Amino acid sequence: MTTTPPGLNEVLQRTFSFPKRHFLSVTDLNEVEVANLLDLADGFVSLNRQTAKKLDLLKGRTLMNLFFENSTRTQSSFELAGKRLGADVVNMSPRSSAMSKGETLIDTAVTLNAMQPDLLVIRHASSGAASLLSQKVTCSVVNAGDGQHEHPTQALLDALSMRRAFGRIAGLSVAICGDVLHSRVARSNIALLQMLGAEVRLVGPPTLIPSQADRWNVAIHHDMREGIKGCDVVMMLRLQLERMDGVMAPSQREYFRFFGLDREKLAFAAPHVRVMHPGPMNRGVEIDSDVADDLSVSLIQDQVEMGVAARMAVLTSLAARLDNDR
Amino acid sequence: MSSRPTAFTNVRLLDPASGYDGPGAVVVTEGVIADVVKGGDVGSLSKDIEVVDGRGALLLPGLVDIRVKTGEPGTETKETLKSAARAAAAGGVTSIVLQPDTHPVVDEPSVVDFILRRARDIELVNVYPAGAATKGAEGQRMAEIGLMAEAGCLYVTDADRPIVDSKVMRRVLSYAKAFNVLVAHRPADPWLSGGAAASEGEFASRMGLPSVPAVAEKIMLERDLALVELTGARLLVDQLTTEAAIESFRRGRDKGLAVIATTSINHLSFNEVDIGDYRTFCKVEPPLRSEDDRQAVIEAVASGLIQVIVSAHAPAPAEDKRLPYDEAAPGAVGLQTLLPALLTFHHEGRIPLIDLIRAVTSAPADLLGLPAGRLAKGAPADLVLCDLNAPLIIDADKLLSKSKNSPFDGRRLQGKVLRTVVDGRTVYEA
């Protein structure tokens, strides 16, 4: 038998208000909903640290992971989250499905929907794919990353990691560094952190900062030392290697020299600074191993742990609103 | 067809070609306008004449839409010539000029001939092809411009594809000039616009959509204007949609270059934010622009700098639109909504009615040397009877195009086509 940790028990007994059928975008959420999700996730962290981790909150429910883009981390995080809550979990990957035979996203979704899943987790290379899917299915849809648009559960787990490290999010100053242009993680984080009262800065070469990002109420820096000066959190983003070869930046070594995080640059941040990275990391390209592996500074391992808990909170909240007879 | 003369009486005539806006009547004989009576007093009509009482409705020349795509030949699931012609008739559009990017591409006279013969069999509205400027519309080798013009194509264009190679563009311009053939070109820098699904700016950044900066239009237009200056040719700028390019165009006109510009009803009516939650029916080519750009386009039409408005009718079936935004096909149907959408600017008091109508009647007709687009003795009897104020809600499913991809779906517009007449024949009646 699993014993529910006291903290979790207390949160579960609160009456939650999460009046959403889908979890698609941070911009769909409000502050109260986020606070509730973070409290719930916090409880799940304690549960996940026990030997007996399994609950029956999602018993009888079916969770489908539909990942059109490769992902080890996010997919297994959702899989574990579902299983620990008692759901049946199915992983679909497009290479073994009909998508490679020319079936459209909608057709695949409608087909899978007919198998009566309760929760559909989707990752897709096109912005808006999760929203499109949600309009065509009867189950709940969770966006696990749509193109360059949003990755809302990542923002939630990042917020959880920060809240646990600092005890608060309001008033923190967070520098998001690197390839903001192509990053759905950055877009979700900017929206969520600003909602929770953090100050956000963007740091990167002009080629990797989205057009008119200055209208997002963020400070933009092209000098990393300047950009991370005095900040509480440095959030590094992954830069795909092929974009560094004269495309968005002249070379890997030039990129690391100016925008890679090492001890020397990190010294410009606040003394208590914590470093984050959504993974997978390019060591020696955007982040020095020396920084990434220093557990007194790095929250990177915590982020992975918080990922399972945050996703359990999202799945639980959505499932609470699912009908038993559809 | 009855050869009995018909008189449209008790109407408000609006004829941009002569500048007349007032009461009057039009008498039609043998498919041609036999008489135009301006003023309230029609006088006595012969008993042989069939009288159509317009009850005060607006009588316009039929609309001339010079940028229309169908799926024929090659992709008839999108649209056939017949379905497009039906939609045109219902929208008060009596002449359409087809884009050449079909399968096969209209790049030689036999395809021009094929389309003209198919259109003749349909007998609804006047259908004219435009030919490709280059073989296969691939932008590399000149198409048979002279032979296609002889066969009946009205101008040459590579449609959505810009002619990237400046040497090719120069040759097309000089060669076409010798045959007095108009060249149309859509200004878009291919490198900046490659892969883009939206216009660059805060909205596209937030939505994570691959985007093209507005200056991509200006960059290519500046090249084209320089080549027009070099060759002395005439150029039709296919869809001006940005403030920056409008400025360049104005300078070109001020210099006396023989350039004329169109814009599309989509870029007059919508901006990038209408894309909303990834509405693919708002994905058009070029992409919808910022509100500043849209306002600049409206101003350019109001001032007469942009002289022609097109529907940019581009059918795309649901299976090509119900996809993630960056994968969805661009294009919007527009033949049936062109007139009421245009009238919005009259109802809002932005552009005088006669100027709006000129941009879809006499201006495009004059540009292409067509006798249509005017209420004048001897002109073809292509007419639209229209209730200027009748409200309507656009229901995309009820549009007559085979494809229903209309960004106007659900929009409330004002102005209803009551009857459309082509060569004296009624081809649509509400």
Side-chain angles (χ1 to χ4, degrees):
Chain A
M1 256 324 275
T2 308
T3 331
T4 318
L8 177 60
N9 235 341
E10 185 229 319
V11 186
L12 282 172
Q13 275 158 16
R14 275 197 234 160
T15 37
F16 267 97
S17 165
F18 192 76
K20 308 268 158 40
R21 191 153 73 97
H22 307 296
F23 195 80
L24 301 176
S25 161
V26 165
T27 56
D28 295 338
L29 306 174
N30 64 39
E31 218 181 314
V32 177
E33 287 160 0
V34 172
N36 282 336
L37 285 167
L38 291 176
D39 290 348
L40 188 53
D42 229 345
F44 285 128
V45 174
S46 322
L47 175 81
N48 288 338
R49 287 178 178 175
Q50 297 181 169
T51 313
K53 302 171 172 63
K54 198 143 172 154
L55 295 182
D56 57 3
L57 290 169
L58 258 62
K59 192 173 175 193
R61 302 290 185 190
T62 306
L63 168 76
M64 274 189 185
N65 271 329
L66 183 57
F67 277 60
F68 293 93
E69 276 187 337
N70 285 335
S71 157
T72 317
R73 180 182 310 247
T74 309
Q75 182 170 326
S76 39
S77 183
F78 270 107
E79 186 174 354
L80 276 177
K83 284 180 171 166
R84 286 185 185 165
L85 292 166
D88 295 311
V89 181
V90 184
N91 291 320
M92 310 289 293
S93 69
R95 276 157 301 150
S96 57
S97 82
M99 275 301 287
S100 50
K101 296 170 196 156
E103 193 178 67
T104 67
L105 172 64
I106 297 288
D107 288 337
T108 305
V110 169
T111 305
L112 295 179
N113 190 54
M115 297 179 195
Q116 306 287 346
D118 300 283
L119 296 145
L120 198 53
V121 178
I122 178 184
R123 167 168 289 188
H124 195 280
S126 292
S127 300
S131 164
L132 176 67
L133 198 78
S134 73
Q135 293 160 28
K136 308 289 174 186
V137 298
T138 49
C139 59
S140 285
V141 174
V142 179
N143 182 4
D146 63 327
Q148 298 165 14
H149 178 224
E150 281 231 34
H151 191 356
T153 59
Q154 177 75 40
L156 198 65
L157 75 88
D158 287 341
L160 182 62
S161 309
M162 281 182 238
R163 199 177 78 165
R164 287 173 65 100
F166 291 93
R168 67 188 163 95
I169 289 174
L172 291 183
S173 99
V174 181
I176 301 179
C177 307
D179 185 2
V180 180
L181 179 65
H182 298 99
S183 176
R184 52 193 173 215
V185 174
R187 282 171 182 74
S188 288
N189 260 307
I190 293 166
L192 192 68
L193 289 169
Q194 289 186 336
M195 186 199 299
L196 300 178
E199 177 229 328
V200 180
R201 317 166 186 181
L202 304 180
V203 180
T207 44
L208 292 174
I209 301 291
S211 161
Q212 299 189 355
D214 51 318
R215 287 170 56 184
W216 293 345
N217 196 26
V218 293
I220 292 171
H221 296 273
H222 305 308
D223 177 321
M224 194 166 182
R225 292 175 184 84
E226 196 64 39
I228 66 177
K229 193 177 276 176
C231 73
D232 305 297
V233 176
V234 176
M235 184 182 288
M236 298 304 297
L237 299 171
R238 178 182 169 78
L239 176 58
Q240 286 181 17
L241 295 178
E242 62 270 21
R243 289 186 177 137
M244 240 176 291
D245 185 22
V247 183
M248 312 305 278
S251 66
Q252 281 190 31
R253 64 179 186 182
E254 177 159 336
Y255 187 79
F256 185 73
R257 168 75 179 276
F258 295 105
F259 298 100
L261 187 65
D262 54 18
R263 289 277 178 201
E264 190 268 322
K265 293 194 195 78
L266 193 60
F268 284 81
H272 56 262
V273 68
R274 307 306 291 267
V275 173
M276 301 175 75
H277 193 298
M281 282 181 280
N282 292 313
R283 288 168 182 273
V285 175
E286 69 236 356
I287 189 163
D288 199 351
S289 286
D290 181 34
V291 174
D293 298 336
D294 179 352
L295 293 180
S296 67
V297 170
S298 168
L299 286 179
I300 297 170
Q301 289 309 311
D302 293 46
Q303 286 174 275
V304 181
E305 184 187 0
M306 296 310 131
V308 180
R311 285 162 185 134
M312 287 169 82
V314 170
L315 296 177
T316 305
S317 302
L318 288 173
R321 288 191 46 88
L322 289 172
D323 296 335
N324 283 315
D325 300 296
R326 269 188 285 133
Chain B
M1 283 296 120
S2 106
S3 55
R4 208 177 146 200
T6 311
F8 293 86
T9 62
N10 192 15
V11 291
R12 172 180 169 193
L13 294 183
L14 187 73
D15 180 38
S18 64
Y20 184 76
D21 178 1
V26 166
V27 183
V28 172
T29 318
E30 304 282 349
V32 171
I33 296 176
D35 200 7
V36 180
V37 184
K38 291 173 179 172
D41 186 15
V42 178
S44 60
L45 290 166
S46 152
K47 270 184 227 135
D48 293 343
I49 297 181
E50 185 188 332
V51 174
V52 175
D53 183 352
R55 293 175 188 174
L58 198 61
L59 189 73
L60 314 167
L63 272 54
V64 178
D65 185 353
I66 67 168
R67 195 189 209 279
V68 174
K69 292 189 187 195
T70 77
E72 193 171 343
T75 45
E76 285 82 359
T77 48
K78 289 185 187 173
E79 185 95 290
T80 59
L81 287 172
K82 191 163 191 174
S83 63
R86 278 205 191 114
V93 178
T94 55
S95 297
I96 59 178
V97 184
L98 303 176
Q99 295 299 288
D101 54 345
T102 44
H103 303 282
V105 169
V106 185
D107 61 358
E108 49 116 358
S110 69
V111 195
V112 173
D113 195 50
F114 166 81
I115 291 170
L116 286 173
R117 272 186 292 116
R118 290 281 295 137
R120 225 165 283 147
D121 295 344
I122 294 165
E123 278 196 328
L124 271 172
V125 300
N126 303 304
V127 176
Y128 305 99
T134 65
K135 287 194 170 75
E138 284 171 351
Q140 282 160 15
R141 291 171 302 141
M142 262 191 290
E144 290 171 326
I145 294 172
L147 289 176
M148 285 193 294
E150 224 170 52
C153 90
L154 289 191
Y155 65 90
V156 293
T157 175
D158 277 1
D160 293 341
R161 294 188 213 161
I163 298 173
V164 179
D165 188 327
S166 303
K167 191 154 45 176
V168 175
M169 185 62 180
R170 179 198 180 171
R171 286 178 184 150
V172 166
L173 283 169
S174 357
Y175 189 84
K177 185 191 171 198
F179 288 83
N180 199 23
V181 174
L182 180 68
V183 177
H185 191 237
R186 187 161 88 63
D189 178 280
W191 294 283
L192 282 172
S193 54
S199 292
E200 189 173 295
E202 194 277 331
F203 180 77
S205 290
R206 182 155 38 91
M207 301 304 278
L209 290 172
S211 61
V212 52
V215 292
E217 185 169 287
K218 178 195 167 92
I219 289 171
M220 187 57 104
L221 178 62
E222 289 280 359
R223 181 205 72 169
D224 289 351
L225 293 172
L227 290 176
V228 166
E229 198 173 355
L230 181 68
T231 57
R234 279 201 307 158
L235 176 73
L236 175 63
V237 180
D238 178 19
Q239 301 179 73
L240 268 186
T241 62
T242 60
E243 192 174 6
I246 286 169
E247 271 317 303
S248 300
F249 181 74
R250 188 194 313 279
R251 281 199 303 276
R253 292 276 300 181
D254 289 349
K255 253 187 175 173
L257 301 180
V259 286
I260 294 254
T262 69
T263 194
S264 89
I265 190 67
N266 300 320
H267 294 89
L268 281 167
S269 309
F270 301 101
N271 68 25
E272 57 187 350
V273 181
D274 285 300
I275 292 168
D277 187 18
Y278 303 98
R279 286 184 67 213
T280 55
F281 282 9
C282 285
K283 184 174 178 182
V284 292
E285 195 55 56
L288 293 176
R289 307 299 193 180
S290 69
E291 180 60 11
D292 286 350
D293 283 327
R294 186 179 83 97
Q295 291 299 331
V297 173
I298 296 171
E299 275 312 306
V301 170
S303 71
L305 185 68
I306 292 177
Q307 295 180 13
V308 176
I309 297 170
V310 297
S311 71
H313 184 82
E319 62 266 29
D320 292 346
K321 281 289 187 185
R322 270 189 310 194
L323 292 170
Y325 200 85
D326 58 352
E327 294 173 21
V333 292
L335 281 167
Q336 224 175 318
T337 46
L338 175 61
L339 182 56
L342 205 55
L343 292 176
T344 304
F345 300 97
H346 156 71
H347 292 301
E348 287 176 352
R350 287 295 300 271
I351 303 174
L353 183 60
I354 197 158
D355 295 337
L356 283 171
I357 299 304
R358 182 180 298 113
V360 287
T361 56
S362 60
D366 290 347
L367 175 71
L368 300 177
L370 295 172
R374 69 208 73 233
L375 302 176
K377 215 168 166 173
D382 296 351
L383 308 167
V384 189
L385 197 60
C386 158
D387 181 340
L388 182 60
N389 297 313
L392 68 158
I393 300 174
I394 304 297
D395 179 350
D397 287 339
K398 295 205 175 115
L399 295 176
L400 298 177
S401 280
K402 245 181 140 175
S403 297
K404 313 295 182 190
N405 52 309
S406 171
F408 288 95
D409 189 25
R411 272 241 175 164
R412 285 157 200 274
L413 301 174
Q414 248 182 301
K416 192 176 174 196
V417 173
L418 303 172
R419 184 197 284 249
T420 306
V421 176
V422 174
D423 291 332
R425 292 171 289 120
T426 295
V427 293
Y428 172 81
E429 212 170 345

